[in-house]
mmCIF file of all heavy atoms in Angstrom:
data_model
loop_
_atom_site.group_PDB
_atom_site.id
_atom_site.type_symbol
_atom_site.label_atom_id
_atom_site.label_comp_id
_atom_site.label_asym_id
_atom_site.label_seq_id
_atom_site.Cartn_x
_atom_site.Cartn_y
_atom_site.Cartn_z
ATOM 1 N N ALA A 1023 97.988 53.655 107.315
ATOM 2 C CA ALA A 1023 96.895 52.699 107.422
ATOM 3 C C ALA A 1023 96.665 51.952 106.114
ATOM 4 O O ALA A 1023 96.390 50.755 106.098
ATOM 5 C CB ALA A 1023 95.621 53.418 107.852
ATOM 6 N N SER A 1024 96.784 52.677 105.001
ATOM 7 C CA SER A 1024 96.565 52.029 103.714
ATOM 8 C C SER A 1024 97.654 51.014 103.414
ATOM 9 O O SER A 1024 97.392 49.953 102.848
ATOM 10 C CB SER A 1024 96.496 53.084 102.616
ATOM 11 O OG SER A 1024 97.715 53.789 102.548
ATOM 12 N N VAL A 1025 98.886 51.325 103.778
ATOM 13 C CA VAL A 1025 99.983 50.391 103.532
ATOM 14 C C VAL A 1025 99.801 49.117 104.351
ATOM 15 O O VAL A 1025 99.965 47.994 103.870
ATOM 16 C CB VAL A 1025 101.333 51.062 103.846
ATOM 17 C CG1 VAL A 1025 102.454 50.047 103.822
ATOM 18 C CG2 VAL A 1025 101.612 52.165 102.834
ATOM 19 N N MET A 1026 99.423 49.307 105.633
ATOM 20 C CA MET A 1026 99.232 48.142 106.495
ATOM 21 C C MET A 1026 98.067 47.294 106.016
ATOM 22 O O MET A 1026 98.117 46.056 106.028
ATOM 23 C CB MET A 1026 98.994 48.607 107.929
ATOM 24 C CG MET A 1026 100.212 49.269 108.563
ATOM 25 S SD MET A 1026 101.637 48.174 108.660
ATOM 26 C CE MET A 1026 101.007 46.949 109.801
ATOM 27 N N SER A 1027 96.975 47.969 105.574
ATOM 28 C CA SER A 1027 95.830 47.202 105.100
ATOM 29 C C SER A 1027 96.148 46.444 103.826
ATOM 30 O O SER A 1027 95.691 45.316 103.623
ATOM 31 C CB SER A 1027 94.646 48.136 104.880
ATOM 32 O OG SER A 1027 94.963 49.097 103.903
ATOM 33 N N SER A 1028 96.961 47.065 102.931
ATOM 34 C CA SER A 1028 97.317 46.380 101.692
ATOM 35 C C SER A 1028 98.197 45.176 101.966
ATOM 36 O O SER A 1028 98.073 44.129 101.331
ATOM 37 C CB SER A 1028 98.017 47.362 100.746
ATOM 38 O OG SER A 1028 99.213 47.834 101.337
ATOM 39 N N ARG A 1029 99.099 45.334 102.941
ATOM 40 C CA ARG A 1029 99.946 44.191 103.278
ATOM 41 C C ARG A 1029 99.125 43.057 103.873
ATOM 42 O O ARG A 1029 99.350 41.874 103.611
ATOM 43 C CB ARG A 1029 101.016 44.634 104.269
ATOM 44 C CG ARG A 1029 102.093 45.522 103.635
ATOM 45 C CD ARG A 1029 103.134 45.901 104.662
ATOM 46 N NE ARG A 1029 104.180 46.726 104.074
ATOM 47 C CZ ARG A 1029 105.216 47.215 104.766
ATOM 48 N NH1 ARG A 1029 105.325 46.951 106.064
ATOM 49 N NH2 ARG A 1029 106.122 47.943 104.150
ATOM 50 N N THR A 1030 98.128 43.407 104.679
ATOM 51 C CA THR A 1030 97.272 42.383 105.264
ATOM 52 C C THR A 1030 96.490 41.652 104.195
ATOM 53 O O THR A 1030 96.336 40.424 104.230
ATOM 54 C CB THR A 1030 96.318 43.023 106.268
ATOM 55 O OG1 THR A 1030 97.071 43.762 107.233
ATOM 56 C CG2 THR A 1030 95.497 41.967 106.987
ATOM 57 N N LYS A 1031 96.000 42.403 103.202
ATOM 58 C CA LYS A 1031 95.252 41.780 102.114
ATOM 59 C C LYS A 1031 96.127 40.852 101.295
ATOM 60 O O LYS A 1031 95.717 39.780 100.866
ATOM 61 C CB LYS A 1031 94.632 42.842 101.218
ATOM 62 C CG LYS A 1031 93.510 43.619 101.881
ATOM 63 C CD LYS A 1031 92.967 44.658 100.936
ATOM 64 C CE LYS A 1031 91.838 45.444 101.604
ATOM 65 N NZ LYS A 1031 91.315 46.494 100.677
ATOM 66 N N VAL A 1032 97.370 41.263 101.059
ATOM 67 C CA VAL A 1032 98.265 40.421 100.263
ATOM 68 C C VAL A 1032 98.556 39.122 100.986
ATOM 69 O O VAL A 1032 98.512 38.019 100.425
ATOM 70 C CB VAL A 1032 99.566 41.189 99.954
ATOM 71 C CG1 VAL A 1032 100.624 40.255 99.371
ATOM 72 C CG2 VAL A 1032 99.276 42.311 98.978
ATOM 73 N N HIS A 1033 98.847 39.178 102.281
ATOM 74 C CA HIS A 1033 99.154 37.980 103.040
ATOM 75 C C HIS A 1033 97.950 37.062 103.160
ATOM 76 O O HIS A 1033 98.070 35.842 103.187
ATOM 77 C CB HIS A 1033 99.658 38.365 104.438
ATOM 78 C CG HIS A 1033 101.079 38.868 104.420
ATOM 79 N ND1 HIS A 1033 102.171 38.053 104.135
ATOM 80 C CD2 HIS A 1033 101.577 40.117 104.635
ATOM 81 C CE1 HIS A 1033 103.279 38.775 104.183
ATOM 82 N NE2 HIS A 1033 102.943 40.034 104.488
ATOM 83 N N SER A 1034 96.772 37.672 103.260
ATOM 84 C CA SER A 1034 95.581 36.831 103.386
ATOM 85 C C SER A 1034 95.168 36.208 102.066
ATOM 86 O O SER A 1034 94.566 35.133 102.037
ATOM 87 C CB SER A 1034 94.424 37.666 103.936
ATOM 88 O OG SER A 1034 94.138 38.732 103.047
ATOM 89 N N SER A 1035 95.482 36.881 100.956
ATOM 90 C CA SER A 1035 95.074 36.363 99.653
ATOM 91 C C SER A 1035 96.023 35.318 99.104
ATOM 92 O O SER A 1035 95.631 34.471 98.307
ATOM 93 C CB SER A 1035 94.943 37.500 98.647
ATOM 94 O OG SER A 1035 96.190 38.146 98.508
ATOM 95 N N VAL A 1036 97.291 35.308 99.487
ATOM 96 C CA VAL A 1036 98.261 34.343 98.963
ATOM 97 C C VAL A 1036 98.062 33.015 99.678
ATOM 98 O O VAL A 1036 98.110 32.964 100.922
ATOM 99 C CB VAL A 1036 99.704 34.858 99.174
ATOM 100 C CG1 VAL A 1036 100.701 33.789 98.750
ATOM 101 C CG2 VAL A 1036 99.908 36.131 98.375
ATOM 102 N N PRO A 1037 97.821 31.966 98.951
ATOM 103 C CA PRO A 1037 97.621 30.659 99.609
ATOM 104 C C PRO A 1037 98.930 30.100 100.161
ATOM 105 O O PRO A 1037 100.011 30.407 99.670
ATOM 106 C CB PRO A 1037 97.055 29.794 98.483
ATOM 107 C CG PRO A 1037 97.582 30.421 97.233
ATOM 108 C CD PRO A 1037 97.646 31.891 97.492
ATOM 109 N N ASP A 1038 98.800 29.318 101.151
ATOM 110 C CA ASP A 1038 99.969 28.699 101.784
ATOM 111 C C ASP A 1038 100.378 27.470 100.979
ATOM 112 O O ASP A 1038 99.658 26.467 100.936
ATOM 113 C CB ASP A 1038 99.626 28.315 103.225
ATOM 114 C CG ASP A 1038 100.880 27.884 103.980
ATOM 115 O OD1 ASP A 1038 101.976 28.042 103.421
ATOM 116 O OD2 ASP A 1038 100.720 27.396 105.128
ATOM 117 N N LYS A 1039 101.514 27.609 100.255
ATOM 118 C CA LYS A 1039 102.007 26.546 99.380
ATOM 119 C C LYS A 1039 103.070 25.684 100.054
ATOM 120 O O LYS A 1039 103.811 24.958 99.399
ATOM 121 C CB LYS A 1039 102.564 27.148 98.089
ATOM 122 C CG LYS A 1039 101.516 27.853 97.256
ATOM 123 C CD LYS A 1039 102.118 28.397 95.978
ATOM 124 C CE LYS A 1039 101.067 29.110 95.146
ATOM 125 N NZ LYS A 1039 101.637 29.612 93.883
#
Side-chain angles (χ1 to χ4, degrees):
S1024 61
V1025 170
M1026 293 299 295
S1027 61
S1028 62
R1029 288 181 179 179
T1030 305
K1031 291 179 180 179
V1032 169
H1033 284 292
S1034 61
S1035 60
V1036 175
D1038 189 8
K1039 296 181 180 181

